[in-house]
Amino acid sequence: MDPRFNLFENEISMRFAKRFAGAGLIIHNSPLPRPVQELVSLRASQINGCGHCVDMHVKEATAAGESALRLHLVATWRESTVFTEAEQAALALAEEGTRLADAHQGVSDETWALVRKHYDDDQTAALVALVALINAANRLAVIVHQKGGSYEPGAFTAAFAEG
């Protein structure tokens, strides 16, 4: 499939992207650990079939020092031994918050309790916002058929840096 629409060549979508990126920078600069941010973004993007965002978050995580082993195992994190209990809680929240249509109750009380066990209020706020934001980003990219493969680490942050 060819891209349907270039979101970066339209005035309205660029104005929206700048505000969207501003929300992303709040999360990026939050106390939520950067590895958790990338793992959560990667898992939601895998579930949503967003090649562009998978590409971006694999490359950002790699640039931040994440191991190839852990990145390869994100899709099977429940059957893996390389994620901490806190990371597992965040990944469960990402999955349940992404698969809302598949789980009529949304995020389970069990998952919420695990998140609250491992993350303080600011980290929890950032984690919830991140799940919402990455799902929105996935939908934008999937709708317009934005492809993965050409992202360069740091490009998104550099393009929309505050200033």
Side-chain angles (χ1 to χ4, degrees):
M1 285 184 273
D2 291 329
R4 292 177 170 159
F5 188 78
N6 188 334
L7 293 171
F8 300 104
E9 292 180 353
N10 176 274
E11 179 186 348
I12 291 174
S13 62
M14 279 303 296
R15 287 174 39 210
F16 175 78
K18 287 179 183 180
R19 281 142 186 91
F20 195 85
L25 287 173
I26 292 168
I27 297 165
H28 180 82
N29 294 327
S30 77
L32 184 66
R34 178 79 186 281
V36 171
Q37 292 182 35
E38 295 302 338
L39 295 172
V40 163
S41 295
L42 176 57
R43 186 63 190 125
S45 299
Q46 289 170 334
I47 292 167
N48 288 323
C50 183
H52 176 75
C53 293
V54 167
D55 181 35
M56 176 187 299
H57 294 292
V58 164
K59 289 175 179 174
E60 289 291 350
T62 300
E66 188 60 73
S67 75
L69 174 65
R70 284 169 41 95
L71 293 175
H72 288 298
L73 291 174
V74 166
T76 58
W77 64 269
R78 283 185 173 85
E79 291 80 31
S80 304
T81 61
V82 299
F83 301 102
T84 67
E85 190 176 291
E87 290 168 337
Q88 291 172 14
L91 288 165
L93 182 75
E95 285 189 358
E96 292 175 25
T98 297
R99 292 184 164 141
L100 294 175
D102 300 337
H104 68 282
Q105 64 193 25
V107 175
S108 69
D109 290 340
E110 177 184 18
T111 294
W112 186 253
L114 287 172
V115 166
R116 295 306 289 157
K117 175 182 175 183
H118 294 286
Y119 298 100
D120 66 22
D121 287 352
D122 288 345
Q123 293 169 322
T124 298
L127 184 56
V128 169
L130 176 61
V131 171
L133 196 67
I134 190 59
N135 275 279
N138 293 161
R139 280 146 180 78
L140 286 167
V142 169
I143 288 168
V144 300
H145 293 176
Q146 195 171 353
K147 301 296 179 202
S150 63
Y151 181 79
E152 294 295 327
F156 190 80
T157 304
F160 297 105
E162 295 175 317

